[in-house]
Amino acid sequence: MPPNTTATAGDKPGKSGRKKGRKARLIVIILVLAVIGGIAYGGYWSVSTVRASFPQTTGEIKLDGLAGPVDVKRDGYGIPQVYASSDEDLFMAQGYVQAQDRFYEMDVRRHMTSGRLSEMFGKGQVKNDEFLRTLGWDRVAKEEYDKVLSASTKKYLQAYAKGVNAYLKGRSAEDISLEYAALGFTNDYKPTEWTPVDSVSWLKAMAWDLRGNMKDEIDRALMTSRLGPQQIADLYPAYPYSRNQAIVQEGQYDELTGEFESKNDSGSSSGSSGSSSGSGSGSSASSSGSSTGSGSGSGSGTSTQGSSALQGQLAGLNGVLDDLPEAVGVNGNGIGSNSWVVAGKYTITGKPLLANDPHLTASLPSVWYQMGLHCRSISATCQYDVTGYTFAGMPGVVIGHNQNIAWGMTNSGVDVTDLYLEKITGDGYEYDGKVRPFTTREETIKVAGGSSKKIVVRQTEDGMPLLSDRNDELVDVGKKAGVTSAAPDRGDGYGVALKWTALEPGTTMDAVFAMNKASDWESFRDAAKLFDVPSQNLIYADTKNDIGYQLPGKIPTRGKNHDGSIPAPGWDAKYTWTGYLKFDQLPYEYNPARGYIVTANQAVVDPDAYPYTLTTDWGYGTRSQRITDLIKQKIEGGGKISTDDMRQMQLDSSSEIAKLLVPRLLKIDLDDPDVREAQKLLQGWDYTQDADSAAAAYFNAVWRNILKLGFGNKLPKELRVEGQCLWVDPVNSTGPVDDTQKVRECGTRDADQAQPDGGDRWFEVVRNLMDKPKSDWWTTPRSGTRPGATDRDGLFKRALIDARWELTAKLGKDMDTWSWGRLHRLFLKNQTLGTEGPDFLRYILNRGPWKLSGGEASVNATGWNAAGGYNVVWVPSMRMVVNLDDFDKSKWINLSGASGHAFSAHYTDQTGKWANGELLDWSFTSKSVDDSTSDTLTLKP
């Protein structure tokens, strides 16, 4: 190990922490400089510029503000374990270390959450900033910090910010990250100090991407221009409770006590924990849990049928959502995750095993940052011994374990957003027959290299921002919106406002710290009470052999006329939220007799056991049921489940829709011998979507074409892929039209956001239509030499043909060279300059491709959008398996690596193993950490 060196905060890192891998890095840098050497930038972008931002990982650094020394021990993957003697020192060191590895990422995030991207990237981000300023995330975060969060949380946030700023002190932008050197060619942007509110704001971005069914609200309203109520209902089928089990199976709501009660493994009620929270008990609402198609509220105040202006406004709103920078997921669409826990009676160790793999947008660096936060001894002044996945820019651990418990999360999908149509009159809006004034504020958007822009943000008295002010297509919102006689005169048109729980101050930041030091089920549930936004499925295990599940969150209740499935009439008080569910009313489960709990975005609870509507848009349970089946197969076979069994389950790539369709596809008679040859690939296929599988490639191409022919070509242009054009009947046609009357319509949606996306909602749509072979959905016109179809098997035949020639064009005629991985590829892109920068910067910052196994709605959920293509759009962003018997035998992996520096050895050093389904050792105890330590840095006061 190199000798210790001493530096003060702000000094450029010394040589001592850089010897490891130096030769490899210099080779890469020389190659990069050779690539850009012919460009004017090359002379400026020297080796020292690239390397200046690498963190010092050995020796000593003095930090003003520390009370005592802190040790930062990194393993061979650069993953840090921090040891301190006080809480404040622990979180100050966390801020310093995360800034060492990820400050550029942190800086971009805070500019996004505060609507200040234009300050970094120029006028191209003004529209995004306008929308983000309208939402006002940073304003809500500041109110949380000033008025809501506990004193201890504020203290930790301040300590974290102090650590970040200690790293920034004395450093020029180009010494912090390579990207700043690139930005320096176009503007003179310099990073400013970090604030506690910057950390809190990041929770709003997380909540936004996990916000629920807002996209579905928009999509259902847009569908009305082409489809009738029954057709829309066909595309949003009821949740299959009888086939895909809900999360909570051993508990129900007690009407007498007004609380949810879970049965523990002894058969007795475990009761509820603590006092209730929330601002109201809510009202009983429809609990079907299934979509109502065009929406149960559509006839009570507005009608979207035939409304070209409303279609335009909602399409414009969707365009704004698609353009927003991706924070945690694919902008709220298609987000999933897996987590499950198995009780000790079914494991090899005799203690629980807990697995989690959140499915999020593939980003570089990964949204997660692995880290351990350890007090040298637990006391009143140093309370934490926790490790897991953190967000760079926020103190604490989001998912992981401490010395007593482990926890994981999946998105619950609970509906916490509603869009409201507002009747605008003068400077106000109508509500219950009266005009209320908008609350307004002026915002100034500073633009790098350009003039500042001022905007006015309008919101209703109860805090709903008017989103329709933020897009050119939305300025004249709803001028021609179809309405019933009960609606007010449209006048100048209707606006669109957003009601969202995250626009009210909350306590989720308090919950993070409470969860990090929880010691048992009761204290874990106490922490969950504070976890208000976003609502997540929390899964739990402890060293005492208990397992559990809790649904937390600030969850609204609605009146009987409003289920949140489509935009509601804001002028009618009947559609106003009636309150929030209390914590004791929320579903949970503790030590269920079956011995395991699975959460994978399926329905939380059967409607027969629960009176409240949590959402109309659950995931449809394909992954959750497959995980359940894999667990049951092991248990019923008399086996015990190991850590590696849990890992293997995470990698399961079985296609559930293939199991339904392939037997039928093999019965289709085909004339073309080349297509018959492709069809034979499906014979004997085991339905696993391995990267080297030709059968998986062909089946997924057939599936994509079934969706396109049966559904995609019948959807309005606002839902179809941008640039894909069709000749269609005019919207206002009342009967059959000939070809000369058809109009050409081109799709307008980004490829990774278009419909049909091929997820498990579409599995359920097709499953329900399989026994209706003459349904109109199975019709498609002839195209050139390819046949049309008037029934199910005719459309399947056409899909088999189209898929054969699509893959011939993409992969070649020789099917021996076909493989799913050649189609299904992952590209990791730097979130800013890697997508928007010049070509040479993209080459420097981006990585890939990797050929992946898995697929849409498989447990190994490497998601792709069937409307847009086969490339991977979201992934298991990390994987972990926690062993509650011996934490040092737990396993984890990240999508990329610890570092955000493009030429660091730890930029993507975990990606190859992640792609291969491998997990890394996860050290926790001090001895295990010491054994795995490669570099030690001491931070001194």
Side-chain angles (χ1 to χ4, degrees), residues 538-565:
L538 298 180
I539 200 162
Y540 168 92
D542 64 36
T543 56
K544 298 176 183 177
N545 230 342
D546 298 313
I547 64 173
Y549 162 83
Q550 177 68 58
L551 176 69
K554 192 171 188 178
I555 300 172
T557 55
R558 301 169 175 89
K560 63 181 180 180
N561 294 318
H562 181 31
D563 65 3
S565 62

Side-chain angles (χ1 to χ4, degrees), residues 14 23 41 60 101 235 355 370 401 585 639 641 736 797 879:
K23 182 177 179 180
Y41 308 118
E60 297 178 353
D101 284 332
L235 302 187
Q370 295 150 290
H401 72 83
Q585 295 174 305
I641 294 174
K797 179 178 181 178
R879 298 187 183 100

Side-chain angles (χ1 to χ4, degrees), residues 184-353:
F185 293 122
T186 58
N187 65 61
D188 59 355
Y189 172 80
K190 303 296 180 186
T192 58
E193 285 197 341
W194 193 263
T195 73
V197 174
D198 291 335
S199 295
V200 180
S201 293
W202 175 235
L203 288 171
K204 300 304 174 185
M206 183 175 73
W208 177 254
D209 280 333
L210 303 174
R211 64 192 178 273
N213 74 338
M214 185 171 162
K215 282 271 191 177
D216 289 310
E217 279 192 56
I218 294 170
D219 284 359
R220 275 189 286 265
L222 290 172
M223 285 179 182
T224 59
S225 67
R226 286 281 173 198
L227 305 176
Q230 182 55 52
Q231 291 172 308
I232 296 173
D234 288 345
L235 302 187
Y236 288 88
Y239 184 89
Y241 288 97
S242 61
R243 187 175 69 254
N244 296 342
Q245 294 174 323
I247 297 172
V248 175
Q249 300 170 39
E250 300 177 28
Q252 65 180 24
Y253 185 80
D254 189 321
E255 295 284 358
L256 293 178
T257 64
E259 297 179 355
F260 194 91
E261 294 188 353
S262 175
K263 300 295 183 180
N264 64 21
D265 59 359
S266 65
S268 63
S269 173
S270 62
S272 58
S273 170
S275 61
S276 61
S277 61
S279 58
S281 61
S283 59
S284 179
S286 168
S287 57
S288 67
S290 62
S291 169
T292 56
S294 59
S296 61
S298 61
S300 301
T302 66
S303 171
T304 54
Q305 185 71 37
S307 170
S308 60
L310 188 58
Q311 304 299 313
Q313 77 180 37
L314 292 172
L317 174 56
N318 191 77
V320 173
L321 301 182
D322 285 352
D323 288 342
L324 284 179
E326 292 162 347
V328 178
V330 192
N331 289 323
N333 197 32
I335 290 177
S337 297
N338 301 323
S339 71
W340 66 95
V341 62
V342 180
K345 63 182 177 180
Y346 293 129
T347 70
I348 287 176
T349 67
K351 290 288 181 69
L353 293 171

Side-chain angles (χ1 to χ4, degrees), residues 607-906:
D608 291 337
Y610 198 65
Y612 299 106
T613 297
L614 297 172
T615 185
T616 62
D617 294 292
W618 299 116
Y620 281 78
T622 301
R623 283 178 287 107
S624 62
Q625 194 58 42
R626 175 62 178 170
I627 295 166
T628 298
D629 292 343
L630 291 171
I631 294 171
K632 290 174 66 176
Q633 287 171 18
K634 190 75 174 181
I635 292 172
E636 293 171 359
K640 296 284 188 177
I641 294 174
S642 68
T643 299
D644 197 60
D645 290 330
M646 301 284 274
R647 180 188 71 87
Q648 293 286 355
M649 291 177 191
Q650 288 178 326
L651 301 179
D652 182 82
S653 64
S654 175
S655 171
E656 297 304 299
I657 191 62
K659 294 175 185 177
L660 174 70
L661 292 181
V662 166
R664 190 73 225 169
L665 294 172
L666 289 173
K667 294 179 180 179
I668 303 297
D669 289 329
L670 296 164
D671 301 325
D672 189 323
D674 289 320
V675 182
R676 286 202 305 271
E677 183 185 17
Q679 184 187 37
K680 290 178 182 177
L681 289 172
L682 304 179
Q683 293 178 354
W685 179 41
D686 64 359
Y687 310 120
T688 60
Q689 299 170 96
D690 293 332
D692 60 0
S693 171
Y698 183 56
F699 171 77
N700 281 316
V702 174
W703 170 237
R704 179 174 186 246
N705 279 279
I706 287 173
L707 293 172
K708 176 183 176 182
L709 297 167
F711 308 98
N713 291 348
K714 301 177 177 73
L715 296 177
K717 65 180 184 298
E718 292 86 0
L719 274 69
R720 299 201 312 269
V721 175
E722 183 177 5
Q724 291 185 1
C725 303
L726 298 171
W727 288 94
V728 299
D729 295 346
V731 171
N732 59 357
S733 60
T734 57
V737 299
D738 59 39
D739 289 345
T740 63
Q741 296 174 295
K742 292 183 180 294
V743 296
R744 189 170 184 263
E745 281 190 353
C746 299
T748 61
R749 187 166 285 188
D750 288 348
D752 63 358
Q753 301 287 327
Q755 293 292 338
D757 61 20
D760 65 353
R761 173 164 68 87
W762 293 98
F763 290 14
E764 198 65 19
V765 169
V766 170
R767 184 187 297 275
N768 289 346
L769 291 171
M770 285 295 286
D771 61 354
K772 301 175 183 177
K774 297 295 185 182
S775 168
D776 288 344
W777 290 113
W778 299 126
T779 63
T780 192
R782 182 181 182 86
S783 177
T785 61
R786 298 183 188 177
T790 58
D791 59 16
R792 180 196 62 205
D793 288 356
L795 187 137
F796 284 4
K797 179 178 181 178
R798 169 70 178 276
L800 286 160
I801 295 169
D802 287 0
R804 170 45 158 140
W805 300 118
E806 180 188 358
L807 293 199
T808 298
K810 291 180 181 295
L811 303 179
K813 188 172 182 179
D814 183 1
M815 293 190 305
D816 289 339
T817 68
W818 289 6
S819 72
W820 177 225
R822 288 183 62 194
L823 289 172
H824 193 53
R825 299 178 300 167
L826 170 66
F827 294 85
L828 290 181
K829 297 181 179 180
N830 178 282
Q831 296 177 54
T832 55
L833 301 179
T835 56
E836 301 294 335
D839 289 345
F840 82 91
L841 260 182
R842 299 186 193 191
Y843 178 83
I844 291 170
L845 297 174
N846 297 341
R847 299 292 184 270
W850 287 267
K851 299 176 180 179
L852 297 188
S853 301
E856 189 76 15
S858 66
V859 181
N860 186 14
T862 53
W864 56 286
N865 187 299
Y870 302 99
N871 278 340
V872 177
V873 296
W874 49 272
V875 295
S877 56
M878 61 82 159
R879 298 187 183 100
M880 74 177 197
V881 180
V882 182
N883 183 327
L884 275 295
D885 179 62
D886 185 347
F887 286 123
D888 289 333
K889 292 182 179 178
S890 301
K891 302 286 185 178
W892 63 352
I893 196 79
N894 204 353
L895 173 63
S896 58
S899 180
H901 301 294
F903 297 110
S904 166
H906 306 306

